[in-house]
Amino acid sequence: MMDTHSHIYGPEFDEDRDQVVARAREAGVERVLLPNINSDTVEPMLALCRRYPDYCLPMMGLHPEDVRTDYAGVLSSMRELLQQPAHPYIAIGEVGLDFYWDQTFRTEQLGAFEQQLCWAFDLDLPLVIHCRAAHCELVEVMERHRAEHLRGIFHCFGGTVEEAQQLLSFPGFVLGIGGVLTYKKSTLPEVLRNVPLERVVVETDAPYLAPVPHRGKRNESAFVADTLQRLAEVYGITLSEADKVTTDTAKRLFSLP
């Protein structure tokens, strides 16, 4: 079992981070993948990876909600980190578009996203893509890069069958499924019945979106087991089968042993 998207390096875990990692291991989580957010999160993320080498693995990227007018300078600094010999980053993430709360930096978000897509191509790294209230714009940008055969995860997918089909028309990509799958009114179970299990991975997005029975609490990587259990039920297979398929997909995507 793998948590393909977790922010347990964040301040929400400062009081009990070691216990959070211990609980994840006890739950059967064999790796925790850490998307970056902005310049300030790089060092806390790397510190966690140094503390748990080969267990916590870092990504590099600028989250769309953190894109401002100075994004070019921020991206330049991040690109320098990716150019260092033997850098530890396994993916470009968390990147994407988010027009849900505010579209003040819409143009900047589009520019930052496109630039980071180019990084993924240049460095042959997978992408972890965030999209909220920006599906059409996201697909439009992705279409311009279709010939580059990019790969990655559309993180925290919660859309329709049609949106899933559009995203999965990019053959190197899979859907990241988190705690929302377990919610009583979630439409994801019906959507996923139209999606091959091989195009799905599981994630927590800790500390956000904790699955049932932890809904409303701080999410953590151990809780990916609850999402995986629900995923197995949706596909009508055993937990071990769901575990093997989703873990194998994640390992292949991130080139992990």
Side-chain angles (χ1 to χ4, degrees):
M1 188 180 349
M2 197 179 303
D3 183 0
T4 62
H5 196 114
S6 183
H7 302 283
I8 58 171
Y9 56 79
E12 299 88 350
F13 300 93
D14 284 351
E15 299 300 318
D16 63 343
R17 189 170 286 108
D18 289 335
Q19 294 93 320
V20 166
V21 172
R23 286 193 292 269
R25 283 180 155 155
E26 187 177 343
V29 179
E30 62 180 84
R31 284 191 183 92
V32 178
L33 310 188
L34 308 175
N36 189 53
I37 297 295
N38 55 41
S39 296
D40 293 335
T41 56
V42 174
E43 182 48 40
M45 177 182 68
L46 292 179
L48 180 59
C49 293
R50 288 191 295 267
R51 186 165 179 81
Y52 296 101
D54 300 322
Y55 188 76
C56 294
L57 302 175
M59 309 179 200
M60 180 50 61
L62 179 61
H63 192 289
E65 288 186 293
D66 285 74
V67 172
R68 299 291 184 269
T69 53
D70 64 348
Y71 81 90
V74 175
L75 290 186
S76 178
S77 298
M78 291 181 173
R79 188 68 173 87
E80 288 180 12
L81 295 174
L82 287 162
Q83 289 174 320
Q84 293 178 356
H87 69 75
Y89 307 107
I90 62 166
I92 305 300
E94 178 175 354
V95 307
L97 301 172
D98 192 321
F99 302 146
Y100 185 76
W101 294 112
D102 188 0
Q103 297 196 35
T104 302
F105 300 104
R106 179 187 180 94
T107 300
E108 289 85 352
Q109 280 195 37
L110 289 162
F113 180 44
E114 192 131 28
Q115 189 169 332
Q116 291 175 100
L117 290 184
C118 293
W119 294 356
F121 176 71
D122 292 342
L123 300 170
D124 190 26
L125 287 173
L127 288 146
V128 170
I129 297 177
H130 170 113
C131 180
R132 186 162 59 161
H135 176 82
C136 293
E137 293 88 344
L138 180 92
V139 171
E140 184 178 340
V141 175
M142 294 288 296
E143 285 290 355
R144 292 201 289 271
H145 295 266
R146 183 179 284 275
E148 295 167 10
H149 303 292
L150 300 171
R151 66 191 188 279
I153 298 173
F154 293 110
H155 149 66
C156 200
F157 178 77
T160 64
V161 172
E162 292 73 23
E163 287 169 338
Q165 290 171 343
Q166 278 187 299
L167 296 178
L168 294 179
S169 74
F170 299 97
F173 282 83
V174 301
L175 304 180
I177 302 299
V180 173
L181 177 66
T182 69
Y183 298 171
K184 185 175 181 179
K185 295 184 179 180
S186 175
T187 59
L188 272 175
E190 185 55 41
V191 171
L192 288 178
R193 292 185 182 103
N194 296 274
V195 173
L197 181 60
E198 292 76 14
R199 303 296 300 276
V200 170
V201 295
V202 289
E203 60 179 41
T204 59
D205 200 19
Y208 313 108
L209 299 172
V212 173
H214 313 284
R215 190 175 184 182
K217 301 176 183 178
R218 182 194 66 175
N219 202 0
E220 59 179 77
S221 289
F223 299 167
V224 74
D226 298 288
T227 298
L228 187 65
Q229 178 62 56
R230 181 68 182 115
L231 190 77
E233 294 168 1
V234 168
Y235 281 93
I237 58 178
T238 65
L239 180 63
S240 62
E241 288 172 319
D243 185 0
K244 177 172 174 29
V245 173
T246 56
T247 301
D248 285 352
T249 298
K251 287 179 177 178
R252 183 170 60 252
L253 187 62
F254 292 100
S255 302
L256 298 174

